[in-house]
Amino acid sequence: MNGREVIAFDMDGVLVDVTESYREGIVRTVEHFTGRRIERELIQEYKNSGGYNNDWKLSQKIAADLGVEVDYDTVVNYFNRIFLYSGEESLIHRERWIAAPDLFPRLALRFDFAIFTGRSQAEAGITLSRYASGIRFEPLICSEDVEHAKPHPEGLTKIAAAYRERKLWYVGDTVDDARCARGAGVTFIGVAAAGAPGSDELRELLRAEGAAAVIDNINQLESVL
């Protein structure tokens, strides 16, 4: 087996703090269609139950559970308008890169990097060009690149195929990420942000799904590799 190992990363909640971008997008979308402003804890409860990696589908589901049925494409169009297409007010501009400046240079001494995210290529590209233009993530597997979304392991199996005979790790922050890794036979490291809504439950769920370790944030990654 090649001495250099490979770390594949999820993006949201792992590389990028999306509290005020994707999570706020869910809050605003649900409020737009239902007139009710939900708490972030409710979003995490749905995420912890699994099957809600797609924030458009989650927004639609929460609205339905609040008694308002909305067509999926209508949800997508509204979410994208506030997330991507509102100029400087677009929620994507509220994101924050989590990794410390020296983390990836240190990791690069031992590892190559890849990404498997539920984002589109456009959304991933905006954030990576802003915060990580000097980091090589190859391959970058996004929603358009797989037929089956998480928790299906397709994205990770594509990465594994690109690095045959190389040890592969996957770092994610949801039950779906953990199940995806298990399905692909890839060692999983979970991220459960300390103090975030539902983090204690998430930590236990990730361990139950087979995480080799669970850390508070990406800057603790070296301690478990």
Side-chain angles (χ1 to χ4, degrees):
M1 182 174 288
N2 189 303
R4 283 186 66 82
E5 300 178 0
V6 181
I7 308 173
F9 297 90
D10 177 43
M11 285 188 66
D12 304 338
V14 175
L15 297 176
V16 185
D17 184 341
V18 295
T19 304
E20 298 302 325
S21 59
Y22 282 101
R23 295 296 173 100
E24 179 66 12
I26 295 170
V27 171
R28 292 192 188 186
T29 299
V30 171
E31 184 176 26
H32 176 76
F33 290 112
T34 69
R36 296 175 61 179
R37 189 167 181 85
I38 61 173
E39 298 295 330
R40 303 293 174 85
E41 288 84 356
L42 180 64
I43 296 173
Q44 192 62 48
E45 287 176 14
Y46 279 90
K47 292 279 188 180
N48 285 354
S49 69
Y52 293 108
N53 192 63
N54 182 322
D55 288 345
W56 300 328
K57 289 184 178 179
L58 177 53
S59 299
Q60 182 189 38
K61 170 63 173 172
I62 295 175
D65 287 348
L66 293 175
V68 180
E69 298 288 342
V70 187
D71 178 75
Y72 178 69
D73 288 340
T74 301
V75 171
V76 172
N77 289 337
Y78 181 79
F79 193 107
N80 282 346
R81 176 155 62 87
I82 62 174
F83 187 79
L84 283 176
Y85 304 127
S86 296
E88 291 302 314
E89 298 300 315
S90 298
L91 294 176
I92 196 169
H93 296 309
R94 296 185 173 195
E95 294 181 334
R96 180 179 64 84
W97 188 253
I98 297 173
D102 59 345
L103 176 63
F104 276 94
R106 291 199 310 269
L107 288 173
L109 299 175
R110 298 170 50 202
F111 300 94
D112 291 321
F113 310 126
I115 284 177
F116 176 34
T117 175
R119 290 189 183 213
S120 67
Q121 285 280 349
E123 293 166 356
I126 289 170
T127 298
L128 291 174
S129 64
R130 180 182 299 152
Y131 295 114
S133 59
I135 305 173
R136 183 173 182 267
F137 295 101
E138 180 64 35
L140 168 61
I141 304 293
C142 295
S143 58
E144 308 98 312
D145 304 312
V146 294
E147 182 177 350
H148 306 288
K150 300 174 192 176
H152 194 282
E154 180 183 357
L156 284 184
T157 59
K158 285 178 178 286
I159 294 172
Y163 291 102
R164 295 186 186 279
E165 304 302 318
R166 305 274 292 275
K167 167 72 175 179
L168 177 60
W169 306 76
Y170 188 44
V171 185
D173 72 322
T174 67
V175 168
D176 286 344
D177 289 334
R179 292 173 179 171
C180 173
R182 189 171 70 242
V186 171
T187 303
F188 179 70
I189 296 175
V191 177
S199 62
D200 290 340
E201 179 187 8
L202 176 59
R203 186 176 297 273
E204 294 307 314
L205 288 170
L206 296 178
R207 289 190 178 116
E209 292 290 343
V214 181
I215 56 180
D216 292 339
N217 65 70
I218 197 70
N219 294 302
Q220 298 175 348
L221 186 57
E222 291 169 291
S223 68
V224 296
L225 292 173

